[in-house]
Amino acid sequence: MAGDLPNYDGERRPSNVDPKLATEDDAAVLAGLGYKQELRRNFTMIEVFGIAFSIMGLLPSIASTLSFSIPAGPVGMVWGWFVACFFIFIVGLAMADLGSSMPTSGGLYWWTHFFASPKTRNPLSFLVGYSNTLGLVGGLCSIDYGFSLMLLSVVVIASDGSYTPTNGAIYGVFAGCVLCHAILASLLSKVMGKLQTVFVVMNLILIAATIIALPVGKRLASERNPASYIFTNKTNLTTWPTGWVFFMSWLSPIWTVGSFDSCVHMSEEAANATTAVPWGIVMSIGMCWVLGWIIMVTISATIDTDLESVLGSSFGQPMAQIYYDSVGKHGAIGLMSLLFVVQFMMGLSIIVAASRQSWAFSRDGALPFSKFFRPISQKFGYIPLRTIWGCAFLAIILGLLSLIAPAAAQALFSLAVAGNNVAWGTPIFCRVFFGQHKFKPGPFYTGRIMSPIIAWTAVIFLIFGTILSMFPVNGPHPTSKHPFRLYGLISKSETYILLEANMNYSVVINCAVWIGSLAYYYIDARKWFTGPKITLNLDDLTEGQEKALAEEGLEVQGLPADKSASLGDSSGEEGLRGVSPDGKPGTEASTATRKDV
């Protein structure tokens, strides 16, 4: 590890930083990135970890994505999880390096703009901002959609299979869940950090209950699968080659152990962010890696070896069938109820993270109606209230895909995977390809030699994961008697599935986002989008903040020359517009330029 959080206590003049919001040191770090402290820093490192871990919602996410891993059999479930999580951890390390160096809520597009070449920084930053924003909203959709299916599966179990939910009922529960999350995210801001600890505990209770209940339910050793089945049995329930279906099983951990970038989006609400953010990322991935592998081993040990019947369960959820087979009807209802409660908590955490990214992007004027979404609500606890509701309404609109077909609903999951993969990989790539010389490590650092190796490995894996998410999960020309069933939404009576219904709409949805973002930029946004803006008010700068600005190469008009001198030559100069807290263009005193250093 290298680098320490700067401490300006010895040279601080009377602070203009509201002590209700942040310490002088945290505000100085943010000032070095050009931003005024506007959100309240009430998240500790454990709570930053908690928001990522609760969004991952380990067991509910595994339950939601078992249909990706079961077709590959126990080898895909157990070893697919382990290998994929290894690479996800590498991605986390690469992001942690950046998060410790430059912690800001809009980190991904901010880092892209900082490290990319002068010709590419604006369009790439614009693309990453939109891909990340829509990826997070897609994550909200997929989590709440999974909640709807889990809740209704309990009703199916309780009715002994006599009730079959319609797509309309599924969407209605989904929309109601999203609205509940928006309400709670608006009203519980003062305790949201503390709630993350509660959510972590609830996740761990559910994991422990499952790990204990499944083997205990299969009392006789003969009822449990042997180690040879758990660790070596290969199955292929798709029309893909066996080797490729193993890679397809990676989609379960790739979707589950995602949203660790939520730690980055909480940067401006985290105390000691240069340490809290990277450790939140690493700890959340590491814990999911280990606990998830244990869960997969437990499921493989107790699952019915007739995997097609598990996928084709009348309960509409493979996990519901697994619980039912081990602990009976009442045990399954109890565990599935706890499962959807934890899934609900996941949705609350991710709408918080999504709203912060959306707010940061609107702060820099990139979103439509940015001036409307930009204000912070002091009444509700210094939160971006309008972006919370903006994300909720966008999720409700995107959720209409679930009314088309199960394969279309799958696009909600791929939007979270592919959209975020592009948003994560681009700044990491820009750092090692364009701007390694500008990278200044923070307190968390993987080292001068290992850091570039980790970064390149992360980029390659993210490209592969993005491509993987575009493939039809059931393979080309699926004709099996019990075809792949996303969350059990295709009725068991179906014996064949049309090729059109098996289409993976991911490529359509994600390409629409990426091509649309770039088209918007080149047609219109290039005329006014210049990248991250300066939101500092020169009159409110403290001595420490002025020094932080100079150290980061930000030259602010009105500062003494010795404090705002550039650290590089003027050939790398890039203009950044100032902006006042109400979103209007800044005055001369608050304009600045960034120098490449």
Side-chain angles (χ1 to χ4, degrees), residues 63 66 149-150 153-154 156-157 214 310 313-329 331-333 335-336 339:
L66 271 178
L149 295 169
M150 288 180 189
S153 72
V154 172
V156 174
I157 295 174
L214 290 182
V310 175
S313 171
S314 60
F315 298 145
Q317 276 269 318
M319 196 68 204
Q321 187 66 53
I322 293 168
Y323 279 145
Y324 188 89
D325 291 342
S326 292
V327 296
K329 175 180 177 179
I333 290 175
L335 288 170
M336 286 300 295
L339 203 66

Side-chain angles (χ1 to χ4, degrees), residues 339-362:
L339 203 66
F340 75 67
V341 168
V342 174
Q343 182 95 351
F344 183 86
M345 296 174 180
M346 293 168 58
L348 178 57
S349 295
I350 197 171
I351 196 173
V352 171
S355 66
R356 272 50 175 184
Q357 158 62 21
S358 303
W359 171 77
F361 211 32
S362 68

Side-chain angles (χ1 to χ4, degrees), residues 71-153:
V75 164
M77 295 167 66
V78 173
W79 297 118
W81 180 275
F82 190 87
V83 175
C85 282
F86 168 78
F87 288 108
I88 295 168
F89 190 77
I90 294 295
V91 176
L93 288 175
M95 189 180 295
D97 276 347
L98 291 169
S100 181
S101 174
M102 296 172 285
T104 175
S105 294
L108 299 175
Y109 73 83
W110 199 101
W111 302 333
T112 299
H113 195 273
F114 181 75
F115 288 116
S117 67
K119 291 183 178 180
T120 63
R121 57 168 51 109
N122 284 347
L124 285 180
S125 176
F126 200 75
L127 171 65
V128 167
Y130 271 95
S131 189
N132 190 212
T133 300
L134 292 174
L136 286 167
V137 175
L140 172 63
C141 288
S142 57
I143 287 172
D144 285 0
Y145 186 70
F147 166 84
S148 176
L149 295 169
M150 288 180 189
L151 175 62
L152 292 172
S153 72

Side-chain angles (χ1 to χ4, degrees), residues 215-224:
V216 169
K218 299 281 181 85
R219 295 179 179 85
L220 301 177
S222 60
E223 296 178 311
R224 296 189 291 270

Side-chain angles (χ1 to χ4, degrees), residues 407-442:
Q410 182 191 345
L412 298 176
F413 291 78
S414 68
L415 181 60
V417 172
N420 281 326
N421 278 6
V422 168
W424 300 342
T426 303
I428 297 172
F429 170 78
C430 288
R431 175 204 144 190
V432 291
F433 189 77
F434 293 115
Q436 182 65 29
H437 64 287
K438 295 197 290 183
F439 177 67
K440 293 190 291 184

Side-chain angles (χ1 to χ4, degrees), residues 238-258:
T238 75
T239 56
W240 290 116
T242 300
W244 186 251
V245 79
F246 174 76
F247 287 126
M248 296 298 290
S249 72
W250 290 16
L251 288 173
S252 176
I254 286 174
W255 186 82
T256 299
V257 192

